Amino acid sequence: MLKKRLVAVLILRDGRVVQSVRFKHTNVIHYDPVHAVECFNKWAVDEIVMLNVSPSAGSRQGFLEAVGRISGECFVPLSAGGWITDMDYARALLGNGADKLVLNTLLADAPDRVTALSRRFGRQCIVASMDVKRDGAGGIQAVVDRGQRATGQDPVSWARRAEALGVGEIFLNSVHHDGARKGYDLDTLRGVCQAVSIPVIAFGGVFTWDHLVDGLNAGADAVAVANQFHYTEHSSRKAKRYLVQSGVAVRREE
Amino acid sequence: MSRVAIVDYGMGNLRSVANALRQVGTEPAIVDRPEDLTHFERVILPGVGAFQQAMEHLDASGLGAAVDGARRSGKPILGICLGMQLMCRGSEEGALAGASHAGLGWVDAQVRRFPVRPGLKVPHMGWDDVQRAGAHPLIEGVADGSDYYFVHSYYVDCAHGDDVLLAGDYGVPYCAVFAHGNVVGAQFHPEKSQQAGLRLLKNFLAWTPC
């Protein structure tokens, strides 16, 4: 049977792996992202996601090079995203060893281009990064552009829209849970998982390994961790072991 | 000159395969000219994309005939994902119901569409386990139930059980790894399957078909 996946996320700002707390990226965790990936690879991670959260599009070339260097050390599927606006850059990322493209703002600004990328490289190659945020009126809505711009749409509508545009997976984060150490935004996660028929990756807020089990119980196909994997030695292996002990079907290490 | 050629016929990402071969100790060459293929001891036929388009690229470039020459001279050849499917007699992909597009025809197997089953999404994508169905140097050290990384919407159905080395099940039983003479194929991506995948690539590099 298909296994539930444990995903390690590298948040890169201007080439450095940074901590993400409510979408603010001030603390540098690793100066060299390859070092972070070397650690994951030897341990128990099933997939790696690299996100370029740099404030300027001028970061694209440096990020592309980082993807190239990391793919040389990465023998699990690698997804890359941030500042993907056109076919050429998408092709360059794939040529540098990315297996999947992670799109966020493009879903709002140029949905036809999302569909074009999906047609060109296949649905399995396109991941919608979907960020949600509480609005002033007590509701939750999807946001883009590093959490700064509201779409005016609730999470379920935004997720269905992404699926209809041709994405193959949803990578769901919540601004209020990001780096907050209180686990995933389970209500939103549950709603999105029920609304779409494509796999959903839960992200944002993991502090204890129980949070991973909560995410899977809410319907996620994969659970993603960033900050928490960087601070403790062998943390990804411990997370995997916890999942095994909790009865989750995951890939075992050799 | 490197011993291993990765055939570049315009279908998919070769960099990951090259990275993984480097990791297990071989510097591969990426080859896109048919005449260059004769210089290599081993050939890898990777591939992501549509079956028929891939066959057209192989035919038009002359690479299909060159890889077939390597096969006839007894060199070990490994097909990965679509590359494995191309080695079969034919595929239902892109064909009308009941019809099939012809493949290279090296292995007596048919490529079929996964049937629609509740709860089983197509493409079959992610880590899934395989069972040993035979013994062969290629799968030496591969434990029953090992997980590999798959991305495919069509599956290989071998006519002869003897050719199947690793078998999977996704609503229907399918062939995950086959071997027929000097030709072997893997439906999963060994280059993306961590230690289990690297082991298979290492085994391929050490294998001398008899």
Side-chain angles (χ1 to χ4, degrees):
Chain A
M1 66 180 295
L2 277 176
K3 302 301 186 292
K4 300 294 183 186
R5 289 169 282 157
L6 182 62
V7 179
V9 183
L10 297 179
I11 310 280
L12 273 82
R13 184 183 158 123
D14 299 321
R16 290 167 177 176
V17 178
V18 293
Q19 187 183 16
S20 184
V21 178
R22 297 182 70 159
F23 284 45
K24 300 279 182 282
H25 312 108
T26 41
N27 294 339
V28 173
I29 302 175
H30 289 284
Y31 284 93
D32 182 1
V34 171
H35 176 69
V37 168
E38 278 170 352
C39 300
F40 295 149
N41 245 351
K42 286 171 194 145
W43 304 342
V45 160
D46 300 316
E47 197 163 322
I48 294 171
V49 174
M50 290 176 68
L51 298 177
N52 175 15
V53 299
S54 310
S56 130
S59 60
R60 298 197 335 161
Q61 186 57 30
F63 182 71
L64 184 62
E65 285 158 18
V67 168
R69 287 197 300 132
I70 281 172
S71 76
E73 308 284 334
C74 172
F75 305 105
V76 294
L78 174 67
S79 303
W83 294 104
I84 300 176
T85 52
D86 56 88
M87 190 67 83
D88 284 346
Y89 189 59
R91 196 177 288 118
L93 285 170
L94 296 172
N96 268 20
D99 299 290
K100 305 185 207 178
L101 304 167
V102 184
L103 308 178
N104 176 295
T105 311
L106 201 63
L107 282 118
D109 290 354
D112 52 328
R113 230 170 289 164
V114 174
T115 305
L117 288 167
S118 171
R119 292 219 175 104
R120 174 64 187 82
F121 300 113
R123 179 180 277 271
Q124 84 291 335
C125 186
I126 309 296
V127 181
S129 151
M130 178 178 153
D131 301 321
V132 302
K133 195 176 188 175
R134 272 188 230 123
D135 58 28
I140 290 184
Q141 59 170 292
V143 290
V144 295
D145 197 2
R146 291 164 296 130
Q148 292 167 6
R149 200 176 353 136
T151 62
Q153 291 207 38
D154 64 86
V156 163
S157 321
W158 193 250
R160 285 189 174 137
R161 181 172 172 280
E163 185 178 23
L165 289 172
V167 314
E169 275 180 310
I170 288 178
F171 181 85
L172 177 65
N173 195 4
S174 164
V175 175
H176 293 279
H177 285 252
D178 184 59
R181 302 184 164 189
K182 56 185 178 187
Y184 300 120
D185 178 351
L186 294 174
D187 288 338
T188 304
L189 178 61
R190 212 171 280 119
V192 167
C193 289
Q194 283 167 5
V196 296
S197 62
I198 51 179
V200 177
I201 304 167
F203 182 49
V206 168
F207 186 61
T208 73
W209 305 140
D210 239 356
H211 290 151
L212 303 175
V213 178
D214 293 342
L216 294 168
N217 285 339
D221 292 86
V223 280
V225 182
N227 304 344
Q228 200 58 14
F229 272 173
H230 297 294
Y231 292 129
T232 347
E233 213 178 339
H234 301 302
S235 54
S236 49
R237 177 170 286 169
K238 285 173 187 159
K240 201 62 167 290
R241 198 173 299 144
Y242 190 85
L243 291 175
V244 171
Q245 285 164 358
S246 305
V248 179
V250 286
R251 176 182 69 94
R252 309 279 192 116
E253 289 176 83
E254 270 209 334
Chain B
M1 179 61 79
S2 154
R3 298 184 307 126
V4 183
I6 302 173
V7 183
D8 179 7
Y9 58 108
M11 297 297 284
N13 185 1
L14 313 176
R15 180 161 177 154
S16 300
V17 178
N19 283 340
L21 288 169
R22 243 170 249 135
Q23 182 72 14
V24 296
T26 291
E27 183 63 38
I30 291 176
V31 172
D32 60 3
R33 295 196 310 183
E35 60 272 26
D36 290 347
L37 215 55
T38 53
H39 304 309
F40 295 89
E41 294 169 16
R42 287 165 205 276
V43 178
I44 294 181
L45 188 64
V48 173
F51 186 92
Q52 199 188 2
Q53 193 189 0
M55 284 304 294
E56 284 166 7
H57 284 206
L58 282 175
D59 284 345
S61 61
L63 283 163
V67 181
D68 194 40
R71 178 189 67 91
R72 279 184 277 109
S73 67
K75 291 176 184 174
I77 303 181
L78 167 65
I80 296 175
C81 197
L82 178 63
M84 175 209 204
Q85 298 189 352
L86 295 171
M87 295 169 156
C88 301
R89 275 189 288 111
S91 173
E92 292 178 359
E93 184 178 348
L96 297 170
S100 159
H101 288 299
L104 294 164
W106 301 342
V107 178
D108 192 2
Q110 188 66 31
V111 183
R112 304 189 194 283
R113 193 187 313 270
F114 272 120
V116 179
R117 295 270 199 281
L120 299 181
K121 294 164 188 169
V122 177
H124 174 228
M125 179 167 94
W127 293 88
D128 209 341
D129 52 283
V130 296
Q131 307 302 320
R132 291 178 66 96
H136 192 280
L138 187 69
I139 57 165
E140 198 175 300
V142 174
D144 240 355
S146 292
D147 289 310
Y148 286 94
Y149 188 73
F150 291 86
V151 185
H152 60 131
S153 299
Y154 295 79
Y155 68 97
V156 171
D157 180 13
C158 286
H160 310 288
D162 287 357
D163 293 336
V164 181
L165 299 184
L166 294 176
D169 195 304
Y170 193 65
V172 286
Y174 64 89
C175 174
V177 168
F178 62 43
H180 188 79
N182 54 321
V183 171
V184 293
Q187 180 62 69
F188 50 75
H189 288 276
E191 74 280 13
K192 288 286 163 187
S193 296
Q194 263 283 20
Q195 296 302 323
L198 295 175
R199 175 190 296 270
L200 196 109
L201 290 174
K202 205 169 184 174
N203 287 348
F204 173 70
L205 295 176
W207 171 51
T208 311
C210 42

